[in-house]
Amino acid sequence: MTLQDDWQLQGWVGEEWRWYVDNPWDAPGWLPARVPGSVIDDLVRAGELASPYFERDSRQAEWVAARTWVYRRRLTAGTIRFDGVDHEATVFVDGEEVAHHVGGFTPFEIRLAPGEHVLAVAVHPAPASEPQVGHTSRVRAHKSRMGYGWDFCPRLIHQGIWREVCADEPSRPEYRVSLRDGIGRVHAGDELVLEVADPELWWCNGLGEPRLYEAGDVRVGFRTVELTDDYALIVNGRRTPIRGVNWVPLDVLYGVPRPAKLQRLLELAAGAGVNLVRVWGGGVIESDEFYAHCDQLGILVWQEFSQSSSGLESVPCADPEFVATLAADARGIVPRLAHHPSLAIWGGGNELDADDGHPALAALREVVAELDPDRAWLPTSPLGERDVHGPWEHQGLPAHNRHWDGVRSNLHSEFGVEGMTNREALERLIAPQHRWPADRSNPVYAHLGAWWNNAPLVQECFGGRIEDVETMLRASQWLQYDGLRYAVEATLRRGAGAIPWQLNESFPNAWCTSIVDWHGRPKPAYFGLARAYRGAPSARFPTPAWGGQDEVVARVGAPARLLDLDGRVVATGDTELRAPLSAFAHDVFVLDLDAGANRYVMTRTPDLAPLLDLPPTTLELHDGALRNAGDIIAVGVVCDTDVLDLLPGETRMITGARAEGWNAHL
């Protein structure tokens, strides 16, 4: 039985909570609470705090993590299992201490005598740790770093009973899955619970179906996965490049269940052709629900332990007590997740200035080698010259394309392009009077993703002519869409693996590198990534803005055309296209590959300002068919399922009723 309801919560400064842990049930000051959940979320629902998801109101919650918060509940039960309390807890039954536990990723149990009891769980103040600009060697807690203050997350340190509390249920067995000599076997401890001869294999997304079998109370899949020295995957003997995304916690208040959002985000990843998700080390060890969805969708997982770099120094702590904590946590974490076919790689952490010679990483490696020896292990990422991180920003015109055409790594496991959030998200996040200017001079924007606010570059790329938030939003999202698409395509063209930063965001920012906003709605950049991962042909060219050049030159991997704005064909080719700028009658033109499989919008000026001056065209929508009824190309039309450049008279099937571009909208 899961104990979700009927919890109460109250907080105290210092040790004062000890006087009240056995308060009468009807004592004042107790607030309703949810389990699993998060303390800040409970306080918001009780009206004690403003929602942290509006403008700068997250600052009002920064005091919460300094207090002890006591959860309590009446119950009658024998065995109580806590799947996760973040981060340190003391447990009382009828006012008597019965347990103390440290570590949010490991479960523990208590036993109760028969009868009615009051269970109280004191969640202690969050441990000291380092924000992003700090020193990794000072970190002594195996806990999410993100909430201490990060580039995409304000300071909102998580506390609470964040995973299930169950009564009268036996401890979950630890399953081992193997595939040897054509026989799939599943063991729970020493007991064989499933044996399948010549099983249907579990395949990752893009290679086949992720076949699952029932084994006891879990679902398992039989497959082999190897990570090669050049960072490719070999799944069931078939080599496939990594087409991934970086994953951060669903929310900074990660204890609050969000099952619909979890499912939607992972389905978006699968729908984009993603075959691997990297669970970033600044976040959490992901949940069983997360892994169950990845099992079903065929998405491989690279799970990092919760360690990350810092702005000033990134060497993990070598203190023996901390190393022992990491190893003990790993002994609880690894067996819990090892039966999932989606789990492919264990990582020691994100961007650590260390390797397996460091005591902390060596301890984690040893536990993984002992308890899950068939999984790949990486001490950190990046590591050496074959796996690289960055940049995370648009490099400008024409430097962006030049940079990405020059990268030579085997795997690019973090890189991205920044952009504003979607219009609906922005309207829910910032009051109208605070939406302009949309740059860092505005204190609201400075709080909501300042690191990724590149308004000056957007202005430069559009001739300094952006004068309102709507145009800034469209222009910034266009740069993110076009810039990330080119970066991913360039990576795939050289046969390397790609893991862009980042799929989702943990907090609703005004500007972010995420390609899906906090509410789960794709930004245009998502569709650019999806087109690349689905195998659309791509082109290599030095810039989308050709001012100062004599001719347009592009290398193409499919039959291609250069089209003027009115749809007139200026040049054609199968491997290379060339056309003098003077051949175009308009300042905006389009490079079209394989009859619309992929299109690039270009200008014959030094910047993209002509996109602001396009003559309008007309869109019509009938029974899902979107048609450009005008005489010029409808440029950059963002729909719910794609970004389209529609030629005059062209029709595409879309989902939804949204269609708005630079020169056309419904």
Side-chain angles (χ1 to χ4, degrees):
M1 177 179 66
T2 302
L3 304 178
Q4 294 180 319
D5 304 319
D6 303 321
W7 291 86
Q8 294 182 337
L9 177 74
Q10 191 169 176
W12 285 273
V13 174
E15 298 290 308
E16 185 181 0
W17 61 273
R18 294 185 180 275
W19 296 348
Y20 302 102
V21 73
D22 59 347
N23 254 7
W25 189 256
D26 58 356
W30 292 88
L31 305 171
R34 294 192 297 196
V35 171
S38 298
V39 170
I40 290 175
D41 178 70
D42 289 328
L43 296 177
V44 171
R45 289 186 304 104
E48 296 293 304
L49 279 176
S51 169
Y53 306 121
F54 182 75
E55 293 199 345
R56 295 187 288 170
D57 287 351
S58 68
R59 299 183 304 173
Q60 298 181 29
E62 291 185 8
W63 58 272
V64 174
R67 299 196 177 198
T68 295
W69 296 91
V70 178
Y71 289 80
R72 68 176 188 172
R73 189 188 192 279
R74 292 183 288 194
L75 76 167
T76 302
T79 301
I80 309 296
R81 186 183 75 242
F82 295 86
D83 284 346
V85 180
D86 191 7
H87 177 76
E88 178 181 358
T90 304
V91 183
F92 297 81
V93 175
D94 302 327
E96 297 294 323
E97 182 176 336
V98 297
H100 183 81
H101 183 79
V102 180
F105 299 130
T106 51
F108 63 97
E109 293 182 352
I110 64 170
R111 299 183 184 276
L112 304 182
E116 294 186 356
H117 304 282
V118 174
L119 172 70
V121 183
V123 178
H124 296 287
S129 194
E130 295 288 293
Q132 185 171 15
V133 181
H135 298 77
T136 300
S137 62
R138 295 176 182 171
V139 176
R140 298 292 196 276
H142 187 217
K143 172 178 169 59
S144 172
R145 289 273 304 283
M146 174 188 68
Y148 288 83
W150 221 258
D151 56 74
F152 63 95
C153 184
R155 187 175 179 87
L156 279 174
I157 302 173
H158 188 275
Q159 286 171 288
I161 303 177
W162 77 294
R163 286 184 170 157
E164 288 186 347
V165 179
C166 299
D168 288 333
E169 291 186 10
S171 298
R172 296 168 182 168
E174 295 172 357
Y175 291 91
R176 292 180 291 109
V177 181
S178 64
L179 176 63
R180 298 285 188 277
D181 302 321
I183 305 293
R185 296 181 177 89
V186 184
H187 293 262
D190 295 328
E191 179 184 359
L192 177 65
V193 297
L194 180 68
E195 186 173 77
V196 182
D198 297 320
E200 296 179 45
L201 297 179
W202 183 96
W203 291 94
C204 70
N205 193 25
L207 292 185
E209 293 299 316
R211 178 69 162 90
L212 295 173
Y213 291 85
E214 301 290 335
D217 60 353
V218 300
R219 303 181 77 190
V220 300
F222 301 105
R223 90 293 181 274
T224 60
V225 177
E226 302 172 50
L227 181 67
T228 67
D229 289 341
D230 60 350
Y231 287 93
L233 297 168
I234 299 179
V235 181
N236 299 326
R238 292 176 58 183
R239 181 184 174 96
T240 183
I242 291 174
R243 287 174 166 81
V245 285
N246 277 278
W247 175 273
V248 297
L250 281 179
D251 197 274
V252 61
L253 304 182
Y254 44 78
V256 179
R258 295 175 173 84
K261 186 175 182 180
L262 175 64
Q263 179 177 347
R264 173 167 174 75
L265 287 172
L266 289 174
E267 287 178 348
L268 283 171
V274 167
N275 63 13
L276 181 140
V277 166
R278 174 179 176 249
V279 181
W280 170 69
V284 300
I285 308 298
E286 270 300 342
S287 65
D288 291 308
E289 293 77 14
F290 170 90
Y291 276 92
H293 281 300
C294 290
D295 291 345
Q296 294 166 3
L297 294 167
I299 299 175
L300 293 167
V301 180
W302 171 352
Q303 174 70 68
E304 294 186 338
F305 288 94
S306 292
Q307 299 193 96
S308 188
S309 60
S310 302
L312 302 180
E313 172 265 304
S314 300
V315 179
C317 173
D319 178 79
E321 184 176 351
F322 174 68
V323 173
T325 295
L326 281 179
D329 277 8
R331 288 190 172 277
I333 292 165
V334 172
R336 175 175 68 85
L337 299 177
H339 70 274
H340 288 284
S342 56
L343 178 59
I345 303 168
W346 288 106
N350 170 66
E351 295 178 354
L352 301 175
D353 189 11
D355 56 23
D356 282 338
H358 189 281
L361 297 177
L364 291 172
R365 180 198 60 195
E366 289 170 6
V367 173
V368 170
E370 176 189 347
L371 300 180
D372 198 12
D374 294 332
R375 290 303 191 324
W377 162 261
L378 292 172
T380 190
S381 177
L383 186 66
E385 297 179 353
R386 291 172 298 165
D387 172 21
V388 300
H389 283 193
W392 300 265
E393 307 89 358
H394 196 289
Q395 301 300 292
L397 308 174
H400 189 80
N401 291 19
R402 182 169 61 245
H403 171 85
W404 286 105
D405 287 332
V407 177
R408 294 292 179 264
S409 64
N410 298 108
L411 174 66
H412 219 122
S413 56
E414 269 197 34
F415 64 95
V417 177
E418 67 279 71
M420 287 187 74
T421 192
N422 289 320
R423 181 190 299 113
E424 297 85 350
L426 190 74
E427 290 172 350
R428 295 169 68 173
L429 181 64
I430 303 176
Q433 65 271 25
H434 297 152
R435 292 178 194 155
W436 189 258
D439 58 29
R440 300 183 199 183
S441 69
N442 183 332
V444 175
Y445 282 91
H447 184 71
L448 299 171
W451 282 34
W452 309 116
N453 190 320
N454 68 341
L457 176 65
V458 180
Q459 285 283 12
E460 176 186 327
C461 290
F462 284 84
R465 293 178 47 200
I466 299 174
E467 299 178 348
D468 59 84
V469 68
E470 179 67 25
T471 307
M472 178 64 75
L473 189 155
R474 182 182 299 279
S476 74
Q477 288 198 342
W478 180 261
L479 287 180
Q480 185 185 25
Y481 158 75
D482 210 38
L484 183 65
R485 173 178 61 160
Y486 196 90
V488 171
E489 290 175 347
T491 304
L492 299 182
R493 280 197 297 270
R494 71 173 191 273
I499 313 180
W501 181 268
Q502 67 218 76
L503 175 71
N504 59 315
E505 59 179 340
S506 306
F507 184 85
N509 289 287
W511 294 74
C512 190
T513 50
S514 70
I515 60 174
V516 179
D517 71 25
W518 182 72
H519 300 279
R521 185 168 185 174
K523 296 161 69 175
Y526 167 86
F527 302 117
L529 176 77
R531 193 178 304 120
Y533 279 179
R534 291 170 187 158
S538 68
R540 175 174 176 170
F541 49 91
T543 180
W546 293 86
Q549 306 292 316
D550 294 328
E551 64 176 352
V552 177
V553 181
R555 297 179 185 175
V556 295
R561 305 177 295 173
L562 285 169
L563 306 175
D564 211 342
L565 187 63
D566 57 8
R568 179 176 59 91
V569 177
V570 174
T572 63
D574 293 331
T575 58
E576 185 177 78
L577 283 179
R578 288 181 176 270
L581 282 185
S582 59
F584 298 94
H586 301 83
D587 282 341
V588 175
F589 58 96
V590 169
L591 170 57
D592 173 62
L593 273 66
D594 199 14
N598 203 4
R599 287 171 176 159
Y600 304 86
V601 175
M602 299 178 172
T603 68
R604 60 178 187 175
T605 58
D607 55 37
L608 302 177
L611 293 176
L612 304 176
D613 300 320
L614 287 171
T617 187
T618 302
L619 296 178
E620 298 175 347
L621 181 63
H622 299 290
D623 298 325
L626 182 67
R627 178 175 180 269
N628 178 6
D631 298 326
I632 61 171
I633 298 174
V635 177
V637 179
V638 179
C639 309
D640 290 333
T641 51
D642 208 347
V643 177
L644 304 171
D645 304 300
L646 287 174
L647 307 185
E650 188 175 26
T651 299
R652 294 285 184 93
M653 299 302 297
I654 67 168
T655 300
R658 180 177 69 130
E660 49 185 319
W662 286 104
N663 61 336
H665 62 86
L666 288 176

